[in-house]
Amino acid sequence: MRDHPPTAEPPTAAALHDGEALFTLLDRWVARGWLRALDRAFAAFLAREVPDAPAPLLLAAALASHQLGRGHVCLDLAQTLAEPDLALSLPPEGDSLEDPPPRPSALLGELALTDWQTALAHPLIVGDGPGNTPLVLDATRLYLRRYWHHERSIQQHIAARLEGDASDARDTTTLARALAALFPASDTLDWQKAACALAARSPFAVITGGPGTGKTTTVVKLLALLQTLALGEGSRALRIRLAAPTGKAAARLNESIAGQVSGLDLTALAPLLGGAEDESSRLRQAIPTEVTTLHRLLGSRPDTRHFRHDARHPLPLDVLVVDEASMVDVEMMAALLDALPPRARLVLLGDKDQLASVEAGSVLGDLCARAEGGHYTPETADWLAEAIGQALPAEMLDAEGTALDQAIAMLRVSHRFDAASGIGRLAGAVNRDAPGREKRAAIREVLGHGYADLSHLRLETDHDRGLERLVVSGNAAGFPDRGKSAGEGRVVNGQPLPPPVGYRHYLEVMKAAAPQANSHDEVDREALDDWARKVLAAHGQFQLLCALRRGPWGVEGLNERIRVALEKEGLIDSGDGRRLWYPGRPVLVTSNDYGLGLMNGDIGITLALPGVASAAGAGRGPALRVAFPAGDGSGQVKWVLPSRLQAVETVFAMTVHKSQGSEFTHTALLLPDAPNPILTRELVYTGITRARHWLTLVETGRGQLLDAVERRVMRVSGLGGG
């Protein structure tokens, strides 16, 4: 390396003035995994097209591109200068940080915001407004134009829908009668009832709440309410569609909503529908139970980001309900709103505190930023009191409440996790806004209390066999129950719960329940389907979740470790890892495959068909098929040849991100042994709330739980005003 004279500018600082020096630094960041090659290529493209582009602009372009890969919609210049090292993925998974390149702080430490903004005053960039430049600067936020357009489109569509109340909710007398018929009288404020009223009042509404707060129950009653108001006026039934971001989430909502609709008592609504005896049946039939994915709803077009339905070809519907809306990214939300007819009603359903979408944006979290406080105007409070016969708490009133505040309802009572539930208590402690010391104390108290549904496993070393005991057998002894065996005496909805299990359970069901071939080596198709349903249901009894993909505590390392453990127990036979496909291998679909009818997030189990020989010839074993649930709540099974599955991965371990939209009877959440930016309060909360009845929290090394819950996902966007 050539020596610089004492007065020469340091090489890192020179990158702010010299393009060659800048790209040398970007190359080092890319080589280390701190920056994506795509981000460097974008800056290089701009430099080729516009040779006079200043180095600070090219740096900002690379960082703005990088933010998209990290879930941010834009680059906030002021925030980046305040905390420069947060602009890159530091440290990436598996990086030892030995002999690191210069960090962004070494480059941006002396750069003033005004100097950076001056460098961005260039024809490549325009301010907030129309144009065709690749970059847009809005105040201190730098966007790639496409994402600036998505964000503005969302804001404009929502604002247009919030300009006026829904016409069918203006008559509070009829609305109040319908709500009284759907909800039993209560001495305390019924937030589900309030949510239905607010959603009926507005063409755009959001219903948010944690696990077990009754979001599905609420939306089913909302649909009954909307259809009652429409049919009672002599109008045709509303065209209602239900959708979710992933196939897994759609299937789960499908099953849940079908049960809710079939069990809903609609007889009290008959007088509002004309009084005829068959009106209740007509109303029930008008409430849809079929759920589709957003991609299918909009009509995906191969090899393009566009959909068949857009502003020129709107969706043929009157009401759209989107479940698991926290998983919807900014691009999909913009496409969805663009395809809605102007007079259609949109209801978003989801948990604002869960992890945001994998792609850029945190739309639901941004929209619900003020949901905890309510911020309802006196006018809304008076209207709501007439509609539901109950008053809002005084602390939730705000004369300055926005139009968006009036369209958001937060469900605040969990019906799944009661005071005796460690899962509910831990989720609440993790999600609580409190000073660090107070939050840590609350979490320690929950973990040390001895709740029957919560186990805390500490692995002393990387090779601690406690992990193997957990994933194979469920580590049942780890669940304290005041001297009883694990699970004994636990009753949910009047039914005693079996003890928590591990992966041994589904593999034993796979072997024990396998149908037998007849004398002609034939097996009845219904018997095969019934067997697959039992195995798939048994597999859903347990799932190991982790935060990372790489390393010994990531998906890659854990999948191999679990495969070895199950093979040692004689539960699977993968030929010591030589065979990719073997009976019992669970796989996760990682991208939508419309040809096979499989969606990202679908889970299937590899099964050996009894009596059917492999096409590979004698001695090669039985034929293998992968069984997937049909995904439409019908209970049907889809059988797929392994060779047709191109985008799948083994799923003994699954990332928390991939688990969104799913629930498991027993969930084990494993946190790695070293700090990582991906370990956040939202990730821990999401992992905890995937557990329906049992949770094992696994900590490695010195433990990262208490540090992780103090770190928030702060996605940069303009939707939340920050």
Side-chain angles (χ1 to χ4, degrees), residues 584-628:
R585 182 194 178 199
V587 294
L588 175 77
V589 177
T590 56
S591 64
N592 295 339
D593 188 327
Y594 294 100
L596 294 176
L598 297 175
M599 297 293 109
N600 186 2
D602 287 351
I603 293 178
I605 307 295
T606 310
L607 298 174
L609 300 185
V612 182
S614 169
R620 298 296 183 92
L624 299 178
R625 298 291 186 273
V626 185
F628 291 91

Side-chain angles (χ1 to χ4, degrees), residues 170-178 272 386:
R170 291 173 184 166
D171 178 10
T172 55
T173 302
T174 303
L175 179 65
R177 289 179 62 196
L272 297 175
E386 292 182 11

Side-chain angles (χ1 to χ4, degrees), residues 313-664:
H313 306 94
L315 291 161
L317 51 77
D318 302 305
V319 180
L320 175 62
V321 176
V322 179
D323 192 26
E324 296 289 355
S326 63
M327 300 169 65
V328 182
D329 61 86
V330 68
E331 184 172 12
M332 175 57 79
M333 186 62 74
L336 187 66
L337 286 164
D338 198 42
L340 279 182
R343 296 181 62 82
R345 183 191 302 272
L346 176 63
V347 180
L348 301 181
L349 202 65
D351 186 344
K352 69 180 180 62
D353 296 315
Q354 280 190 25
L355 280 169
S357 57
V358 175
E359 303 298 331
S362 54
V363 178
L364 186 70
D366 289 340
L367 295 176
C368 295
R370 288 158 52 94
E372 290 277 357
H375 298 282
Y376 298 112
T377 63
E379 178 187 8
T380 296
D382 292 343
W383 179 91
L384 196 58
E386 292 182 11
I388 68 174
Q390 295 173 317
L392 287 169
E395 62 269 20
M396 291 191 179
L397 303 186
D398 180 358
E400 304 299 321
T402 66
L404 178 60
D405 292 330
Q406 316 314 301
I408 295 176
M410 180 174 170
L411 307 181
R412 300 164 190 267
V413 179
S414 176
H415 303 281
R416 180 189 308 169
F417 301 132
D418 57 20
S421 168
I423 299 173
R425 287 301 180 99
L426 183 60
V430 165
N431 209 32
R432 181 182 177 189
D433 287 321
R437 182 175 298 178
E438 184 178 332
K439 179 188 280 281
R440 288 169 178 253
I443 291 173
R444 288 193 186 101
E445 191 279 329
V446 173
L447 293 177
H449 186 276
Y451 288 102
D453 59 349
L454 177 62
S455 173
H456 187 202
L457 174 63
R458 286 188 174 275
L459 301 179
E460 299 299 330
T461 68
D462 290 0
H463 306 290
D464 192 320
R465 305 308 292 176
L467 178 62
E468 279 73 7
R469 290 191 293 272
L470 167 66
V471 298
V472 172
S473 301
N475 194 31
F479 286 89
D481 203 358
R482 296 174 180 83
K484 299 179 181 179
S485 61
E488 184 183 347
R490 281 213 69 205
V491 176
V492 174
N493 296 328
Q495 298 296 320
L497 284 178
V501 298
Y503 290 136
R504 177 190 297 276
H505 176 60
Y506 90 89
L507 292 167
E508 289 182 340
V509 169
M510 179 185 74
K511 295 178 181 179
Q516 299 299 312
N518 60 24
S519 58
H520 301 289
D521 284 340
E522 295 174 345
V523 179
D524 179 67
R525 172 59 188 265
E526 183 54 39
L528 287 174
D529 286 355
D530 185 57
W531 173 43
R533 281 189 286 266
K534 290 178 181 177
V535 176
L536 288 164
H539 181 266
Q541 297 294 300
F542 176 76
Q543 182 63 55
L544 175 66
L545 303 181
C546 57
L548 310 177
R549 288 202 57 82
R550 294 190 290 274
W553 303 119
V555 165
E556 295 173 3
L558 289 168
N559 271 329
E560 176 61 14
R561 182 169 175 175
I562 296 168
R563 181 198 63 77
V564 171
L566 295 174
E567 190 134 26
K568 285 183 177 179
E569 293 287 328
L571 295 169
I572 61 172
D573 181 7
S574 68
D576 291 327
R578 294 188 302 274
R579 289 194 290 272
L580 175 63
W581 292 101
Y582 51 87
R585 182 194 178 199
V587 294
L588 175 77
V589 177
T590 56
S591 64
N592 295 339
D593 188 327
Y594 294 100
L596 294 176
L598 297 175
M599 297 293 109
N600 186 2
D602 287 351
I603 293 178
I605 307 295
T606 310
L607 298 174
L609 300 185
V612 182
S614 169
R620 298 296 183 92
L624 299 178
R625 298 291 186 273
V626 185
F628 291 91
D632 57 4
S634 65
Q636 298 300 308
V637 175
K638 186 174 299 182
W639 296 89
V640 183
L641 278 166
S643 59
R644 298 192 66 192
L645 295 170
Q646 303 302 313
V648 295
E649 60 185 29
T650 303
V651 70
F652 290 125
M654 178 193 297
T655 62
V656 175
H657 278 89
K658 285 290 187 181
S659 74
Q660 288 179 270
S662 301
E663 283 183 349
F664 309 98

